[in-house]
Amino acid sequence: MTDRIRTAVRVEGVVQGVGFRPYVYSLASGLGLAGLVGNDVDGVFAEVEGDAAAVGKFLLLLEPQAPPLARIERVTTRRLAPTGATEFVIAPSQPGGQRRTLVPADSATCGDCLRELSDPADRRYRYPFINCTNCGPRFTIVQDVPYDRPLTTMSDFTMCTACAAEYHDPADRRFHAQPVCCPACGPTLLLTGPAGLPLADRPPLVAAAELLRRGQILAVKGVGGYHLVVHAGNEAAAAALRARKHREDKPFALMVPDLATARLLCEVDETAGRLLVSSRRPIVLLPRRAAADDMVASAVAPGNRQLGLMLPYTPLHHLLLEGVAAPVVATSGNVSDEPIAYTDADALRRLAPIADAFLLHDRAIYIRTDDSVVRASSGRESVLRRSRGYAPEALKISPAVPRPVLACGAELKNTFCLAEGSRAVLSHHIGDLENAETLRSFTDGIEHFERLLDIVPELVAHDLHPEYLSAKFASGLTGVDLVGVQHHHAHVASCLADNGEEGPVIGVAFDGTGYGTDGTIWGGEFLVADLAGFERAGWLAAVPMPGGAAAIRQPWRMAAAYLAAGDRAAGDPGRGSAALAVRQRNERQWGAVVTMADRGVNSPLTSSAGRLFDAVAALLGVQDSINYEGQAAIELEQCADVSERGAYRASVTDTSAVKPSSLGEAAGQRPSRGPALVVGGADLVQAAAEDLVAGIPAPLIATIVTVCGKLRDRTGLHAVALSGGVFQNLLLTDQVVTGLSDAGFRVLLHSRVPCNDGGISLGQAVIAGARDREARSG
Ligand SMILES: [Zn+2]
Ligand SMILES: [Zn+2]
């Protein structure tokens, strides 16, 4: 007994609702230790007492063997005097005070639950709502904190004696699993027709699977909302879904029964395989294999070399897919670009014109959450839409923000972000803030997150665009300090924060649209930036967007504008584009559009790289008009030829140094400390027109490397951050990384948050923190 010790242990992070106390209980008991473990507002506290070697072993194993859903941020220990305790107990929860613990993300059904699901002897055999401390719904059912059953949508269900016994037994794997339930006491399934009337005299799952096999469209209630589901191999069903959903070209995601089927349809490397089976269960974008042609209808992902696949992530999905025994389309339950339906009444109302039947259940979804979208890139995860399975997991930021921040995000692919100290919590995917319903999800979501995280923002960061609904929302708030952030600075800062860096860095921000500080639309930007400010060091030469928004929907207009600009620059307005197919296809309007661009009528100037891609896509005959955002650039990736053809690149010319406008100064823009660089984008379009290159990657990559080289010469900076939606083009990104690395640069890419506008709010948050820190230090 000479070396008996007692140590207090504090564990912070996502440690509640994930089976942490039973884990500590069994680890300590197994090592013969006495003591206690409990939950409080800061996370989990424990005291362990016994042989010094055993206590040491406990501390050694505590983190590495933690339950799968736990996310440990910090473990601290403190020596106490031994009390002579002989038992290990679970202490009662300590309520009240500041809520610093975090609500876990929703998690896919675990292996133990799947075994019970298929075990005829188990009392939850084929029960579509089986879950435990290691899996099941979390974020989407939580109404308030502390995370406890009465504050979830499971409060409507009273546990039966058997479930309650498991819930209260520290040795049970369902100890304090808040959504625990069984066929006797939990939610039930219902199959209805579009009018909400029950269908079929057979079990709902059996009848639902049969409907799908027969080629019908089924609305299925999942974790964060409704999916619209059809048999993936049924051409007529997939086409009908497309027509009824008013979704013309955008690819549908597929849910496949297992990893083996995923490997049949797509190339699945080690990283992609890990992402597919992870408890987050995102949609993983994968290169399509030839075998997919036989199993997947052509209407699923027309003209796409990739497929978005996910594995089942609820017991309901597992059972349904087992019944269909084939891949199914599982696309968001909405019409066109509306938010995904998540309440039964809303789903029945909005989806009735689309779905032939509804597979419902009576466990309410509190927060709407879309499927996340990721891909594997050079052995690591690259998140493109961060939502179900990820939100509301906190991201560590450094340096810490001095005061609590709310960052309102961008207009498209909106997420917002709440940050306090060294923790930033990005919301689930809200969507495009273009209609009342999405705006309501945005404002309700902010309120919900502020309550869950107990954060009262003092700083509110917003985009500079005065017409953005998120910016208008920010300006309507009182009692807070507003921080206006330039869109592309936010992109670069988001990439820095994603990598845990502060800069300064050369930031390449290429995307579709962002409000510039000089009244033009930016989007092909080279910034020299840190978190507090930026210098606009270079950009794609601005061209007119003939017809404004019409030029976004009709990329051929950008081809016309770019070709005309190139002709003017060459001093040869008659050089002509008469022979080009894109002009012949649009001959009727071509002249008027060029005149509009020339005279600057309804033709805002833009340096957008997205519009440059549009022009090239139209020129190459990929798309003259688009029906979803970024379509031209995405489809261009499908047909791009990346082989180098000589050393062709765009002209890079010096222009006078940039003096920021007052709007720019207020947003942290600094005067440029040398001539700014202007990239002749028209050269790239002209090259494509002359068929110098099939597509844009090779010359654009060479040009990016050239500009970064010139900026390195001027600033001495060796790190480049790549951000903006254009870098969703994997082909382009891979080649740019290779080009920059070969030139001796260190390249920062996005991984944890999207490079597109879905990651903007994180950048805004760290910028607000940095500018606040700077202002306070004088
Ligand atoms: Zn489980
Ligand atoms: Zn029960």
Side-chain angles (χ1 to χ4, degrees):
M1 292 294 277
T2 47
D3 55 352
R4 186 178 176 86
I5 59 168
R6 188 175 181 98
T7 300
V9 186
R10 152 77 49 202
V11 190
E12 291 167 81
V14 181
V15 289
Q16 292 186 5
V18 294
F20 210 84
R21 284 174 302 165
Y23 158 67
V24 170
Y25 176 90
S26 68
L27 179 63
S29 318
L31 291 166
L33 295 170
L36 54 88
V37 62
N39 275 347
D40 64 9
V41 290
D42 291 325
V44 163
F45 63 91
E47 295 179 10
V48 286
E49 175 168 343
D51 182 70
V55 171
K57 195 158 181 197
F58 172 87
L59 295 174
L60 198 68
L61 296 177
L62 184 66
E63 265 195 77
Q65 294 190 358
L69 300 188
R71 300 278 184 269
I72 296 178
E73 286 183 352
R74 197 157 68 133
V75 177
T76 46
T77 60
R78 185 164 51 90
R79 269 307 252 290
L80 300 172
T83 65
T86 55
E87 255 191 322
F88 197 90
V89 296
I90 302 221
S93 288
Q94 310 285 314
Q98 206 192 9
R99 301 148 162 180
R100 290 182 48 206
T101 61
L102 303 169
V103 172
D106 302 291
S107 174
T109 317
C110 74
D112 289 336
C113 285
L114 286 179
R115 267 187 293 283
E116 291 179 2
L117 188 67
S118 60
D119 175 4
D122 193 275
R123 69 190 188 89
R124 293 187 179 89
Y125 175 58
R126 295 187 65 78
Y127 180 56
F129 304 95
I130 189 170
N131 67 80
C132 71
T133 47
N134 291 332
C135 74
R138 296 288 189 276
F139 171 61
T140 50
I141 61 166
V142 170
Q143 295 156 322
D144 204 346
V145 281
Y147 172 57
D148 219 348
R149 184 155 172 135
L151 296 176
T152 70
T153 62
M154 283 300 291
S155 61
D156 299 344
F157 302 93
T158 309
M159 276 184 259
C160 67
T161 323
C163 285
E166 293 169 329
Y167 182 86
H168 292 294
D169 175 5
D172 194 276
R173 67 185 199 84
R174 292 197 168 86
F175 177 67
H176 278 233
Q178 305 305 348
V180 70
C181 57
C182 74
C185 67
T188 49
L189 278 184
L190 179 67
L191 185 69
T192 78
L197 299 173
L199 277 185
D201 36 10
R202 283 164 306 151
L205 268 168
V206 175
E210 196 188 300
L211 283 175
L212 289 173
R213 284 197 306 270
R214 285 209 317 260
Q216 299 217 289
I217 301 176
L218 189 66
V220 180
K221 186 176 181 181
V223 166
Y226 276 77
H227 279 134
L228 286 164
V229 177
V230 294
H231 191 297
N234 190 316
E235 197 68 64
L241 177 58
R242 230 171 236 300
R244 292 189 210 169
K245 207 170 133 67
H246 302 298
R247 176 146 152 169
E248 288 162 50
D249 298 309
K250 200 172 178 180
F252 288 141
L254 299 179
M255 186 178 278
V256 296
D258 47 37
L259 191 56
T261 312
R263 291 189 193 283
L264 214 57
L265 298 180
C266 292
E267 305 289 345
V268 180
D269 67 14
E270 197 195 319
T271 312
R274 192 165 44 71
L275 295 171
L276 278 169
V277 302
S278 78
S279 65
R280 303 180 188 276
R281 292 287 157 111
I283 295 169
V284 185
L285 300 183
L286 297 160
R288 178 182 179 130
R289 295 184 62 212
D293 296 351
D294 302 330
M295 295 171 71
V296 178
S298 61
V300 168
N304 216 297
R305 285 187 198 167
Q306 297 184 337
L307 286 175
L309 302 187
M310 64 183 143
L311 296 185
Y313 54 83
T314 68
L316 173 57
H317 294 144
H318 281 282
L319 295 168
L320 187 64
L321 271 276
E322 190 188 299
V324 180
V328 296
V329 167
T331 186
S332 2
N334 56 8
V335 185
S336 193
D337 291 328
E338 289 173 3
I340 180 173
Y342 73 109
T343 65
D344 301 338
D346 185 39
L348 283 165
R349 185 172 54 78
R350 287 202 283 142
L351 305 182
I354 305 177
D356 299 308
F358 286 74
L359 189 57
L360 313 169
H361 59 74
D362 51 358
R363 185 183 68 207
I365 298 169
Y366 187 72
I367 277 278
R368 168 196 347 250
T369 313
D370 294 78
D371 291 321
S372 294
V373 182
V374 307
R375 65 174 156 204
S377 146
S378 316
R380 66 179 203 161
E381 177 176 31
S382 164
V383 176
L384 300 178
R385 180 165 76 197
R386 189 178 182 279
S387 208
R388 179 194 44 79
Y390 293 77
E393 193 175 311
L395 301 165
K396 212 171 161 54
I397 48 171
S398 171
V401 294
R403 291 192 284 163
V405 184
L406 164 66
C408 297
E411 181 88 335
L412 299 178
K413 299 184 167 69
N414 179 275
T415 62
F416 59 83
C417 175
L418 279 167
E420 185 171 42
S422 58
R423 189 188 270 172
V425 177
L426 219 64
S427 75
H428 52 302
H429 169 79
I430 303 288
D432 299 346
L433 285 181
E434 291 175 326
N435 55 54
E437 187 163 7
T438 316
L439 183 65
R440 195 163 52 243
S441 305
F442 171 77
T443 52
D444 289 354
I446 289 173
E447 216 176 282
H448 185 55
F449 271 71
E450 288 180 355
R451 203 167 56 232
L452 289 188
L453 300 165
D454 198 26
I455 291 181
V456 181
E458 293 175 28
L459 294 169
V460 176
H462 62 86
D463 194 89
L464 294 181
H465 200 307
E467 292 305 315
Y468 277 11
L469 293 180
S470 55
K472 286 183 171 171
F473 164 83
S475 61
L477 297 173
T478 51
V480 295
D481 292 330
L482 294 180
V483 185
V485 179
Q486 200 281 324
H487 188 93
H488 303 96
H489 183 211
H491 267 306
V492 174
S494 166
C495 185
L496 285 170
D498 200 340
N499 288 278
E501 302 205 8
E502 298 174 52
V505 71
I506 297 168
V508 182
F510 275 21
D511 70 353
T513 299
Y515 197 78
T517 61
D518 61 354
T520 68
I521 300 164
W522 295 5
E525 309 306 308
F526 295 87
L527 307 181
V528 173
D530 53 27
L531 299 182
F534 70 98
E535 175 191 329
R536 193 184 189 206
W539 57 88
L540 280 175
V543 292
M545 280 168 66
I552 299 178
R553 289 190 303 271
Q554 300 176 354
W556 70 267
R557 287 172 181 251
M558 290 312 302
Y562 259 113
L563 289 167
D567 291 352
R568 263 197 316 279
D572 180 12
R575 185 162 63 165
S577 44
L580 294 173
V582 63
R583 174 164 180 173
Q584 286 162 1
R585 289 195 305 271
N586 299 282
E587 187 61 54
R588 227 162 35 83
Q589 289 172 279
W590 191 272
V593 160
V594 169
T595 307
M596 191 189 251
D598 280 344
R599 298 193 182 152
V601 179
N602 188 17
S603 298
L605 288 174
T606 187
S607 56
S608 162
R611 298 295 84 78
L612 174 66
F613 273 75
D614 286 352
V616 174
L619 204 56
L620 298 177
V622 177
Q623 282 295 343
D624 279 347
S625 60
I626 58 168
N627 47 51
Y628 66 92
E629 201 252 336
Q631 184 181 355
I634 288 164
E635 293 190 1
L636 191 59
E637 177 175 1
Q638 312 301 326
C639 67
D641 176 0
V642 288
S643 53
E644 286 278 350
R645 309 244 182 120
Y648 183 82
R649 67 196 61 188
S651 63
V652 178
T653 49
D654 285 3
T655 189
S656 50
V658 179
K659 188 180 169 312
S661 63
S662 56
L663 178 67
E665 262 174 21
Q669 184 177 357
R670 299 161 184 149
S672 64
R673 282 166 299 175
L677 304 169
V678 178
V679 175
D683 302 347
L684 300 174
V685 177
Q686 193 61 40
E690 288 166 11
D691 200 22
L692 269 173
V693 282
I696 198 170
L700 184 64
I701 292 149
T703 308
I704 289 175
V705 176
T706 303
V707 173
C708 290
K710 285 174 183 277
L711 293 177
R712 174 171 58 189
D713 294 345
R714 179 158 81 62
T715 62
L717 296 172
H718 288 262
V720 177
L722 303 179
S723 190
V726 163
F727 292 107
Q728 289 175 107
N729 183 323
L730 199 57
L731 217 55
L732 176 79
T733 306
D734 284 351
Q735 302 280 317
V736 171
V737 170
T738 306
L740 287 170
S741 305
D742 289 351
F745 285 100
R746 189 166 68 84
V747 185
L748 305 180
L749 294 172
H750 280 273
S751 165
R752 301 183 297 167
V753 302
C755 66
N756 59 48
D757 286 3
I760 286 265
S761 59
L762 178 66
Q764 291 175 339
V766 293
I767 287 170
R771 299 228 326 254
D772 192 44
R773 203 166 33 248
E774 210 173 71
R776 291 164 148 234
S777 66

